[in-house]
Amino acid sequence: MCGALSHLQLASVTLPRYNVAKRMASLPEPDPITDLLKRVRTIAVVGLSDSPLRPSHGVAAYMQSQGYHIIPVNPKIEEALGEKSYRSLLEVREKIDIVDIFRRPEYVEEIVNQAIRLEIPAIWMQEEVINEKAAEKARQAGIFVVMDQCHTEEHRARFG
């Protein structure tokens, strides 16, 4: 009972109804994105560009500045943000907490297949990256999915 009152003691305690309702109304709503951002440390960024002018670079640089370890995944570059780039998720040997996708929707399903194979717990599809079929496939595999949202904006909204 976690130090709560016994059934007999509880029966003798009466709380006014409005106080119970008021206390319950003030409980914070659970926010799975906040929970996710607090728990992850390593983000594989699929489609990360080495150009500072690209949104993927800006988002990854921001997340890196917030203490997250960034793993670039892009077969066209050798490195980005001081980190070695990998051709695919399947080449990464580190534990990945979340896959951040900066690819067109038609490429998402293959990335999801790799994430499922590697048992990665979360997938984040950036703004305008929408693939319902791939998202459902990921959810069916037990993967937490965020779709069509900016990682940086969501982080700033929650942590300043």
Side-chain angles (χ1 to χ4, degrees), residues 12-146:
S12 66
V13 174
T14 54
L15 296 172
R17 192 164 183 73
Y18 66 90
N19 281 346
V20 173
K22 185 176 179 183
R23 278 201 329 255
M24 290 181 73
S26 67
L27 292 175
E29 291 290 321
D31 178 9
I33 292 178
T34 297
D35 295 342
L36 176 69
L37 293 173
K38 284 181 179 178
R39 149 174 107 245
V40 303
R41 289 293 97 205
T42 303
I43 304 170
V45 183
V46 179
L48 176 58
S49 173
D50 57 356
S51 169
L53 302 177
R54 303 291 301 169
S56 63
H57 191 279
V59 168
Y62 170 80
M63 297 308 286
Q64 189 178 56
S65 77
Q66 298 303 303
Y68 296 91
H69 174 55
I70 300 299
I71 299 173
V73 179
N74 184 336
K76 296 179 181 177
I77 62 173
E78 294 294 318
E79 73 168 314
L81 298 168
E83 300 288 343
K84 176 188 180 331
S85 182
Y86 295 88
R87 296 182 56 76
S88 80
L89 288 173
L90 299 176
E91 289 184 4
V92 178
R93 296 292 166 232
E94 296 177 60
K95 178 185 175 287
I96 299 169
D97 298 315
I98 187 169
V99 175
D100 197 351
I101 302 174
F102 282 91
R103 296 292 316 271
R104 291 194 314 253
E106 60 265 27
Y107 298 111
V108 171
E109 193 165 359
E110 177 56 31
I111 297 163
V112 165
N113 291 338
Q114 291 178 16
I116 290 169
R117 184 170 166 190
L118 295 171
E119 299 179 353
I120 296 171
I123 290 176
W124 191 297
M125 295 181 228
Q126 285 295 319
E127 287 181 323
E128 299 180 18
V129 179
I130 301 167
N131 186 319
E132 294 290 349
K133 180 181 173 191
E136 185 55 31
K137 186 176 192 175
R139 287 186 196 103
Q140 291 295 320
I143 296 174
F144 180 81
V145 175
V146 178

